[in-house]
Amino acid sequence: MSQPIGQLAYVLHSRAYRETSALLDFLTPQGRLRAVLRSARGKAGTLARPFVPLEVEFRGRGELKNVGRMESSGTSTWLIGEALFSGLYLNELLIRLLPAEDPHPGVFDHYAATLLALAEGRPLEPLLRSFEWRLLDDLGYGFALNTDINGEPIAPDGLYRLQVDAGLERVYLLQPGLFNGTELLAMAEADWSAPGALSAAKRLMRQALAVHLGGRPLVSRELFRKP
């Protein structure tokens, strides 16, 4: 019989399982996987934490797999303060939105690159907005930022609302939660120096993500609240 092949992976979440085991959620290029790590108090257990690049052998054909071998595959990403909160936010987002065993290698690569950027101290907001947008797009929930739902170019002086299942719709009456065309066009170009672009992007991503989160708030968002 052929031996299991190791996969690149990151631990998204871990919790105690039975007496000495741990139940782990992993992100891999082949999607999100859940697996049991036996003897979690041993050497492998010290690696079973977030932001550590790993090579893992997964055994079993069912939805709940077993960890056969787990080794470090690179330098761990050291996150502190708001960068740590951001990393935990990404992990929770992936657990909540990424279907089990649904391959998204682009999401995996972008996640790894975002962790490195967080560790380097790059500005948090552009990194988070970029990751949210890429995740939505990879899952098939993306929409155009430079054209509306009728295919018309976004007008700089226009007002728009998000129709989550369709895209941006131009409106002519003021109402809560609108976006102006200038902000949307700046987002389309990732021009975060444009006035209001980052705050508008945060509102837009929250609206776009909310429907896919099923009405349950993200626990990790509470970490960003100032005491």
Side-chain angles (χ1 to χ4, degrees), residues 83-181:
L84 172 61
F85 301 160
S86 298
L88 295 174
Y89 169 70
L90 299 185
N91 287 4
E92 187 179 8
L93 205 58
L94 289 166
I95 291 171
R96 294 280 298 275
L97 293 184
L98 200 61
E101 300 191 55
D102 186 12
H104 286 282
V107 170
F108 181 88
D109 291 343
H110 195 203
Y111 175 82
T114 302
L115 291 185
L116 289 175
L118 288 171
E120 291 169 357
R122 288 172 52 186
L124 300 179
E125 294 291 333
L127 292 174
L128 296 180
R129 302 296 81 80
S130 174
F131 186 85
E132 291 164 342
W133 177 255
R134 175 65 180 269
L135 180 60
L136 285 170
D137 197 45
D138 269 57
L139 293 177
Y141 304 140
F143 49 89
L145 290 169
N146 54 9
T147 58
D148 66 17
I149 58 176
N150 297 312
E152 296 294 327
I154 295 294
D157 59 348
L159 292 174
Y160 296 84
R161 65 183 174 192
L162 177 63
Q163 300 281 13
V164 174
D165 58 349
L168 295 161
E169 178 185 24
R170 188 166 186 178
V171 297
Y172 296 90
L173 294 175
L174 284 175
Q175 53 190 276
L178 296 183
F179 303 89
N180 68 55

Side-chain angles (χ1 to χ4, degrees), residues 55-97:
E55 183 176 303
V56 183
E57 278 183 6
F58 295 101
R59 296 177 177 173
R61 297 183 180 276
E63 185 173 324
L64 181 60
K65 305 186 184 304
N66 289 296
V67 175
R69 175 179 61 85
M70 184 162 66
E71 299 174 353
S72 173
S73 70
T75 304
S76 301
T77 305
W78 185 253
L79 302 179
I80 59 173
E82 289 199 338
L84 172 61
F85 301 160
S86 298
L88 295 174
Y89 169 70
L90 299 185
N91 287 4
E92 187 179 8
L93 205 58
L94 289 166
I95 291 171
R96 294 280 298 275
L97 293 184

